Amino acid sequence: MLSTTAQVRTLGSADVPAFLELAAKDPVVNVFVDYRARMTRLDPTWLGGEVIGRFVGGELVAALHIGANLVPVQAGPVDLQEFARHLRGSPATWATLVGPHTAVERLWALLQDDYDAPRAERWRQPHLELTGAPAVPGDPLVRRTTEADLAALYPACVAMYTEEVGVSPETGGGGPLYRARVRQLVNRGWSFARFDESGRVLFKAEVASVTPYAAQVQGVWVAPHARGHGLAAAGMARVAEIALAEIAPTVSLYVNEWNLPARAAYARAGFVETARFSTIMF
């Protein structure tokens, strides 16, 4: 039973200031949920799910984003126990459980007997940040993409997603939704790429979440035939240059621990590890 001074409930628009204050306790790590709250005002219709919060003495002390992604926010052991109790008995609506390693590990330990086994588990993913100038010059051929680039860009995005996640984003009729997401990032000025002389993508990356504190990068990809030539480090340096100048004061991302070439490229570009994430995929 919860104590008389503690409760777990769904957050709404009136809770947005308290939620943003909670996320700001670790603003770069929490950039995804912070961005989602700012974009949706915690309206379930726009969230495609809900955010629940745990309150103690009327103060919001932890939260859990429940949508396509299950994401704990500033959640300690007691918070996670209460969130797990809230989730049990409900169908799994999420495709991933992702966030800081310790919170993800503890939450999954509480839930694993109630839900299907994941298809992949990626533990201790380095979370990286860059706040100052990149350590190497940015590739001047990396630029923002436009609608005119979509014919070449979209297949590269599908290839990256398939390589990273293990299934195509077009599986199960998901192609139109994924294409719309790629177009959305292009139209926001959050998609970057370098093309070769024939118009094929050599390097690409997107900014996926933006707050006043950070821009989180995703979808970093180098064409297989072009790997090993420094395109990733120089390309990420250029993305960071643009993002730091025009989008947010910090650029962040997280990477699989076993992806040593990518980690080396990010390190050359000047990114430093600040935390460890974990991602469990279903």
Side-chain angles (χ1 to χ4, degrees), residues 81-106:
Q81 289 173 7
E82 300 302 342
F83 293 154
R85 182 177 297 142
H86 177 94
L87 291 169
R88 288 193 188 100
S90 301
T93 59
W94 54 88
T96 62
L97 166 55
V98 59
H101 167 75
T102 299
V104 169
E105 183 178 49
R106 287 174 173 167

Side-chain angles (χ1 to χ4, degrees), residues 108-172:
W108 182 235
L110 294 165
L111 294 175
Q112 60 186 352
D113 292 337
D114 298 278
Y115 293 95
D116 292 340
R119 63 179 181 84
E121 300 175 28
R122 297 177 178 177
W123 300 103
R124 301 188 180 281
Q125 299 168 299
H127 174 272
L128 310 175
E129 298 181 18
L130 178 66
T131 56
V136 297
D139 182 347
L141 297 180
V142 171
R143 59 170 174 81
R144 279 190 166 98
T145 63
T146 70
E147 286 260 357
D149 298 314
L150 279 170
L153 181 65
Y154 180 73
C157 291
V158 171
M160 177 283 305
Y161 187 104
T162 304
E163 184 177 339
E164 172 66 20
V165 179
V167 295
S168 170
E170 299 181 318
T171 300

